[in-house]
């Protein structure tokens, strides 16, 4: 199940100054407390940042997976090799493809 689309925002919707979190489509996400309560206001901002934090987590996870893939591809090159030069060239090209994908993911 997917979360409510972002960006989320903190809003004061009623006469009680309730800190309400609304989704990007205006739908109700949650209630964090009352305006004037510093901790509740900080919590409301943290909750409202959840979609952006989740997107950043996903971006970092993808970048980490690419780094792990690069390390696995580069491992055979850690020590001198007596492989066929054409095979080595192909391996280097594959590493470049993965590194380019990693650079794009981090851009």
């Amino acid at each position: 199940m997917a979360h409510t689309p972002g960006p989320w925002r903190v809003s004061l919707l009623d006469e009680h100054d309730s800190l309400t979190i609304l989704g990007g489509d205006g739908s109700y996400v949650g209630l964090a407390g009352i305006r004037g309560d510093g901790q509740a206001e900080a919590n409301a901002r943290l909750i409202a940042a959840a979609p952006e934090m989740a997107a950043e987590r996903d971006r970092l996870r993808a970048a980490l997976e690419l780094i792990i893939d690069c390390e696995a591809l580069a491992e055979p090159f850690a020590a001198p090799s007596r492989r066929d030069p054409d095979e080595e060239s192909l391996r280097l090209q594959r590493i470049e493809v993965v590194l380019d994908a990693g650079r794009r993911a981090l851009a």
Side-chain angles (χ1 to χ4, degrees), residues 47-101:
I47 294 166
E52 289 83 6
M53 290 189 297
E56 184 65 11
R57 177 210 57 216
D58 293 344
R59 187 182 78 80
L60 291 171
R61 180 180 291 144
L64 180 58
E65 288 172 359
L66 285 170
I67 289 168
I68 290 168
D69 289 345
C70 287
E71 287 178 347
L73 286 171
E75 190 174 331
F77 299 99
S81 173
R82 295 177 195 251
R83 295 190 178 140
D84 176 11
D86 290 335
E87 183 182 326
E88 292 298 311
S89 176
L90 182 59
R91 286 179 183 272
L92 288 171
Q93 289 173 4
R94 288 178 182 153
I95 288 173
E96 275 303 314
V97 168
V98 173
L99 289 174
D100 287 344

Side-chain angles (χ1 to χ4, degrees), residues 2-13 19-32 44-45 47-52:
H3 62 73
T4 303
W8 293 359
R9 70 182 190 284
V10 178
S11 181
L12 300 171
L13 290 180
L19 298 166
T20 304
I21 293 90
L22 299 176
D25 59 2
S27 64
Y28 175 83
V29 172
L31 182 65
R45 288 190 302 274
I47 294 166
E52 289 83 6

